Amino acid sequence: MSTIEKAMGKHRQSAEKPNSITAAMKAKTEASVKSTTVSTPESNDIHSGGSNSNVSVSGVSEKLLTPQEPIVHQPIFIDTDRLKNMGMVMHTDEAVNVKINNEFRSIKQKLLENAFGSGAAFHQNGNLVMVSSALPDEGKTFSAVNLALSLASEKDKTVLLVDADVIKPSVNHTLDIDDKPGLIDYLVGNVSQLSDIIYPTSIPNLKLMPAGAFHHLNNELLASSKMEVLAKELASRYSDRVVVFDCPPLLGVVETVTLSKLLGQAMIVVEQDKTKIADVKAAVSQLNKDMAIGFIMNKAVRGAYSQYGYGYGYDSKAKKS
């Protein structure tokens, strides 16, 4: 049994938390109302004074917050001891989980080359990387989180991990953190600024963007011009940033195909002895033809596909770079 297979077993044992986005947003709204509403005769004039209106309470002048003001997030705590016990990438101690650390070091090198090196000229938005699979339960979220953790250890790069599996979000469950407003909330318009859905974490260089609340028009939102503008912003705003998108499985789902039109690279997770080659070919055929497409052989027998029991390669388009 390989290191990744053992780690995947531990990962599946991690209890999922119920979705609490709606409750969190409600509590946040109530807190905002309490902090800005004043029971005085002048309270009827609060909203007529513009965004810089002041309210005097007991001689203290307080500036009212407006929806346009960015929210300052406190870093989300990620329990690295828990990740270590799950067998995930760990760079705080080089003696821990050595095999999987090296596996993802190997995997990320080609991604970085296509994003910032000689391959960048061939792949538009090469720093926007999709992680998906042909079918569910092949380890895509496990791989996406480990890739993000490995990229975060780079000394001159930062990483944003986006939970783009808007159908069945899993990143928050994997990291054991609370659900928060995210991508879909921004696209719908419930969140006004992009910075409001990007959360710093206790792991240096790693930020998160949750999936947000489910919406019946998920695909239409991902295909919107607002999403296209968002992708361009993420690709160009920070020259040192890699954005990893944990996407839904490809077969039977249109959201991932829609997203692929905006991204520069794709990593397709394939489970050894389970995924059929025909399914992999069908899945890849739906992707943006200009993408660099790589494959991760998950749960592979040691030595069968690589020295680490983890296979990785790029298609002919990527080889030109």
Side-chain angles (χ1 to χ4, degrees):
M1 183 177 294
S2 69
T3 299
I4 293 182
E5 187 170 9
K6 292 178 182 178
M8 282 291 296
K10 294 180 182 179
H11 168 56
R12 289 197 179 102
Q13 294 173 4
S14 179
E16 293 190 352
K17 292 187 175 182
N19 191 302
S20 59
I21 293 177
T22 303
M25 293 184 72
K26 181 179 179 182
K28 178 180 171 183
T29 301
E30 291 175 350
S32 177
V33 170
K34 290 178 181 178
S35 65
T36 59
T37 302
V38 183
S39 299
T40 66
E42 295 83 3
S43 62
N44 291 332
D45 299 325
I46 289 177
H47 299 291
S48 63
S51 61
N52 293 320
S53 298
N54 293 326
V55 179
S56 179
V57 182
S58 301
V60 179
S61 180
E62 298 181 355
K63 183 178 179 180
L64 295 177
L65 294 176
T66 69
Q68 287 71 38
E69 295 186 36
I71 299 171
V72 179
H73 297 297
Q74 293 300 314
I76 296 174
F77 174 74
I78 295 178
D79 189 346
T80 53
D81 286 336
R82 176 177 171 276
L83 297 181
K84 177 181 68 176
N85 293 332
M86 291 170 65
M88 302 190 78
V89 167
M90 181 66 50
H91 291 292
T92 56
D93 186 346
E94 285 298 308
V96 174
N97 300 342
V98 174
K99 185 178 175 183
I100 198 168
N101 290 344
N102 288 330
E103 287 167 353
F104 277 91
R105 280 194 178 107
S106 177
I107 290 168
K108 71 181 176 182
Q109 292 310 310
K110 184 62 177 180
L111 293 172
L112 291 173
E113 182 67 17
N114 278 335
F116 305 105
S118 60
F122 298 92
H123 308 294
Q124 185 177 10
N125 294 347
N127 60 331
L128 305 186
V129 182
M130 163 191 296
V131 180
S132 184
S133 58
L135 301 168
D137 302 321
E138 295 192 76
K140 67 173 187 62
T141 300
F142 175 84
S143 298
V145 172
N146 275 304
L147 176 62
L149 292 171
S150 185
L151 287 166
S153 70
E154 293 289 311
K155 300 305 181 184
D156 58 352
K157 297 290 182 289
T158 62
V159 59
L160 172 64
L161 175 58
V162 179
D163 193 341
D165 192 343
V166 294
I167 300 172
K168 188 180 178 182
S170 300
V171 170
N172 284 5
H173 297 149
T174 300
L175 295 175
D176 193 33
I177 59 179
D178 293 333
D179 293 328
K180 296 180 181 295
L183 176 60
I184 293 299
D185 302 294
Y186 174 76
L187 295 177
V188 169
N190 292 336
V191 176
S192 60
Q193 297 195 48
L194 179 58
S195 60
D196 292 344
I197 59 169
I198 297 179
Y199 301 83
T201 74
S202 57
I203 295 178
N205 300 329
L206 174 63
K207 293 187 177 182
L208 302 176
M209 181 187 294
F214 178 84
H215 195 280
H216 66 287
L217 295 177
N218 280 334
N219 186 64
E220 286 74 11
L221 290 168
L222 293 176
S224 67
S225 58
K226 189 172 184 177
M227 181 65 204
E228 183 177 0
V229 171
L230 183 152
K232 290 179 179 178
E233 169 77 3
L234 293 178
S236 60
R237 184 168 185 178
Y238 298 103
S239 60
D240 64 345
R241 175 174 286 177
V242 181
V243 186
V244 177
F245 292 78
D246 178 33
C247 295
L250 278 159
L251 296 183
V253 175
V254 294
E255 282 81 357
T256 306
V257 177
T258 299
L259 273 175
S260 77
K261 299 173 183 178
L262 305 175
L263 311 183
Q265 300 194 67
M267 290 186 3
I268 308 302
V269 180
V270 179
E271 183 174 349
Q272 185 188 9
D273 298 330
K274 175 184 176 182
T275 310
K276 297 178 181 178
I277 299 233
D279 288 337
V280 176
K281 289 182 177 179
V284 170
S285 68
Q286 301 179 56
L287 294 174
N288 173 10
K289 304 306 179 185
D290 294 326
M291 300 182 84
I293 302 174
F295 300 88
I296 293 178
M297 184 65 68
N298 195 13
K299 307 177 188 177
V301 176
R302 179 176 176 85
Y305 291 88
S306 75
Q307 61 178 319
Y308 302 116
Y310 216 75
Y312 187 62
Y314 265 80
D315 66 359
S316 57
K317 182 178 289 295
K319 289 178 181 177
K320 293 189 296 185
S321 64

